[in-house]
Amino acid sequence: MPETVVAAVRTAPRTTELREFPMPEIPSDGALLKMEVAGICGTDVKMYARPVVDAPVIMGHENVGTIAEAGPDFVKRHGLGEGDRVFVEHYVACYRCEWCHLGEYRHCEATDWRTNPDARRYGYTSCEKPYHLWGGFAQYMFLPWNCVIHKVPDNVSAELAGIATPLSNGIEWALYDTKVGFMSSVLIQGPGQQGLSQVVACKQAGAMPIIVTGTSRDRARLELAKTLGADFVIDVDAEDPLERVTEITGGEGVDVVLDCTAGAGVTPVLLGIDALKRRAGTLLVQGELAKFPDFPIKQLTEKAITIKSARGHSYRAVELALEQLASKRFPLELLTTHEFGLADVDRAIRAVGGEVEEDVVHVSLLPWRE
Ligand SMILES: [Zn+2]
Ligand SMILES: [Zn+2]
């Protein structure tokens, strides 16, 4: 085992430097994960530009690796140990509250940096806290007793397991939150990794039609949406999306709208409200905006619309995402488009943000790659 661990540390907004940390002393109830893949998503782009904590942070919250060392009490608790490949949820839970007992670790206050200054969450927690290795942009990550891990099926590669996060969000938001099912009509706005994962979840559930919107910059992603099962794609720069949705649904509108856009302002929500069917449709929102001027609440209530919030994933959704990956039903390897090494974390995040590289869908950070 090496004596030091190299990690990419965010030291200021949009600034990363490589640092060495001493290899932590693993307690009997903890473990050490040798990192294989850290997925990068839109949240990283936002947190890189406007960090939620000022202290230095090893980012990387969608992590897959192999357990390199595990204390006996860790093995007893988790039933997993040295040599096991695992997907690590970014939530570090208390395992005592009601949310934790429900497998809803995302709602546990022990992992919520908004209300708990000592919260632990991979990719969000200061590397000055004990054990230091609280993010995936590093050669190793520390796993405490209260981490939330899932065994990766044997036939799923580390790269593929790297998309477990968007896929589990797809299952959570489309199937659990907005109840997409057999013959549901669905509008998915935004064909990034998140939108494409919703396509897969909706297709598997039997939804029809599945309509996906994007901009003219998203041509390759919209093609991929079709490959994964979208029935119609709309380029909002070339066509009026509301007109097209109305036409496709024979004037009815859709049952469910899932907003998977980034930085699009109020437009996706307004389109969503208009595109939903006459009564009792469901709209999933991202909540990027702190305020929504002139929100059409009258129209919303007259159409009896339910709003759901996109807020991560439950334990069960991750298990199903891993099963979905193992099934090989969809060519999900087409999503993993870009790979970078530890020295290129800055570029990797900017690629997700659309500043560099072309046709980016999902970016994998491989900490051991030269
Ligand atoms: Zn993410
Ligand atoms: Zn809890």
Side-chain angles (χ1 to χ4, degrees):
M1 199 68 82
E3 279 171 9
T4 56
V5 178
V6 181
V9 181
R10 184 192 66 219
T11 53
R14 297 176 70 88
T15 310
T16 297
E17 60 182 64
L18 290 180
R19 283 192 189 170
E20 278 194 13
F21 292 87
M23 182 61 87
E25 201 71 50
I26 300 303
S28 76
D29 61 359
L32 186 71
L33 186 80
K34 184 172 184 185
M35 281 297 302
E36 291 182 280
V37 173
I40 305 181
C41 79
T43 300
D44 291 303
V45 177
K46 286 177 223 164
M47 289 201 308
Y48 194 45
R50 289 175 302 281
V52 295
V53 295
D54 293 329
V57 166
I58 304 169
M59 294 175 68
H61 63 275
E62 305 186 355
N63 301 313
V64 179
T66 301
I67 297 175
E69 187 187 332
D73 293 325
F74 183 95
V75 175
K76 212 187 296 173
R77 178 183 294 270
H78 291 278
L80 294 166
E82 218 178 296
D84 283 318
R85 174 175 286 156
V86 294
F87 170 78
V88 185
E89 292 195 30
H90 53 310
Y91 316 120
V92 182
C94 79
Y95 280 93
R96 284 193 298 265
C97 75
E98 212 170 317
W99 293 119
C100 283
H101 285 290
L102 289 167
E104 299 282 7
Y105 304 109
R106 58 189 166 147
H107 298 319
C108 173
E109 203 176 20
T111 193
D112 192 349
W113 48 270
R114 291 179 188 83
T115 53
N116 176 2
D118 199 36
R120 292 287 187 280
R121 178 177 290 210
Y122 290 106
Y124 291 67
T125 296
S126 163
C127 62
E128 287 163 353
K129 303 264 186 194
Y131 295 104
H132 313 300
L133 306 175
W134 294 106
F137 298 167
Q139 292 172 326
Y140 290 91
M141 215 166 72
F142 176 66
L143 302 178
W145 68 273
N146 49 339
C147 65
V148 181
I149 54 178
H150 300 257
K151 182 158 173 40
V152 174
D154 289 340
N155 68 337
V156 175
S157 67
E159 282 81 1
L160 207 51
I163 60 170
T165 300
L167 204 52
S168 60
N169 290 341
I171 291 163
E172 191 72 45
W173 305 348
L175 308 191
Y176 295 169
D177 286 333
T178 62
K179 308 277 184 284
V180 168
F182 185 63
M183 296 309 260
S184 300
S185 50
V186 187
L187 172 64
I188 298 163
Q189 301 188 67
Q193 55 170 322
Q194 199 49 76
L196 294 172
S197 296
Q198 307 290 331
V199 171
V200 169
C202 291
K203 194 71 177 179
Q204 175 85 359
M208 197 170 90
I210 298 170
I211 309 164
V212 180
T213 62
T215 65
S216 45
R217 276 184 54 213
D218 294 322
R219 200 138 39 101
R221 294 170 167 195
L222 289 171
E223 274 311 306
L224 190 46
K226 283 200 258 178
T227 306
L228 294 172
D231 299 293
F232 300 92
V233 297
I234 302 172
D235 173 353
V236 299
D237 292 329
E239 303 174 278
D240 180 332
L242 183 59
E243 238 168 62
R244 277 291 283 141
V245 171
T246 307
E247 184 185 76
I248 291 164
T249 57
E252 299 264 311
V254 291
D255 297 318
V256 171
V257 174
L258 299 157
D259 176 12
C260 298
T261 57
V266 300
T267 312
V269 171
L270 294 176
L271 171 63
I273 291 171
D274 282 335
L276 281 170
K277 61 188 177 182
R278 191 181 68 86
R279 281 288 168 114
T282 306
L283 175 68
L284 180 113
V285 297
Q286 289 288 346
E288 275 183 350
L289 304 165
K291 291 211 172 89
F292 199 118
D294 303 321
F295 184 80
I297 193 150
K298 188 163 190 288
Q299 188 193 7
L300 181 101
T301 52
E302 280 174 355
K303 290 181 81 171
I305 290 169
T306 299
I307 290 190
K308 291 283 188 170
S309 306
R311 194 84 278 142
H313 49 257
S314 58
Y315 184 87
R316 175 129 181 86
V318 177
E319 285 289 302
L320 293 180
L322 290 168
E323 274 183 51
Q324 172 77 82
L325 289 166
S327 79
K328 312 275 176 177
R329 183 179 170 193
F330 297 89
L332 288 164
E333 61 283 354
L334 296 176
L335 257 64
T336 56
T337 52
H338 290 67
E339 294 179 347
F340 295 91
L342 209 47
D344 291 317
V345 161
D346 179 83
R347 184 171 180 84
I349 297 173
R350 287 191 293 125
V352 178
E355 287 178 46
V356 292
E357 307 281 347
E358 299 262 294
D359 296 337
V360 175
V361 180
H362 183 266
V363 174
S364 303
L365 200 284
L366 311 180
W368 292 91
R369 197 176 116 143
E370 284 303 307

